[in-house]
Amino acid sequence: MKNISLVLALFLCLACNKKEEVKVVEISCGQCQFGLTSEDGCSLAVRFDDKAYFVDGAAIDDFGDAHAEGTGFCEVIRKAEVTGAVVNDRFQATAVNMLD
């Protein structure tokens, strides 16, 4: 029983070992601006290190109308400082601060 507990604790430690980072990213609509096709409709995405990821933890309309001319994520690519980690090829955001 002691060995099972040790193995379980080690597994949980490894599973929770996703490293959150703070980084400046491009942020926009994954479908309209970044060419992502794995989801229908318009969804918030970030791009950094030449790769785009859909975002969990924030929605596309959390920062205004996604289709607003000149500022909407479906119209333009903006900059943001984000905190989070890539998990299962999605960006798990814990904070999003717009820079523009």
Side-chain angles (χ1 to χ4, degrees), residues 16-92:
C16 294
N17 197 19
K18 62 181 181 185
K19 185 176 184 216
E20 278 200 350
E21 296 183 43
V22 177
K23 47 177 75 220
V24 174
V25 300
E26 294 178 308
I27 187 167
S28 199
C29 176
Q31 292 86 342
C32 295
Q33 297 295 325
F34 296 149
L36 297 176
T37 59
S38 62
E39 288 185 12
D40 293 330
C42 294
S43 304
L44 189 63
V46 294
R47 182 167 61 190
F48 55 91
D49 298 335
D50 297 320
K51 182 153 171 105
Y53 304 91
F54 284 117
V55 173
D56 294 323
I60 196 162
D61 286 318
D62 287 351
F63 306 93
D65 180 2
H67 295 100
E69 189 175 327
T71 59
F73 289 132
C74 293
E75 304 294 325
V76 297
I77 297 172
R78 298 175 64 189
K79 295 279 188 195
E81 182 180 79
V82 296
T83 304
V86 175
V87 178
N88 295 327
D89 213 30
R90 295 181 67 89
F91 189 78
Q92 307 296 313

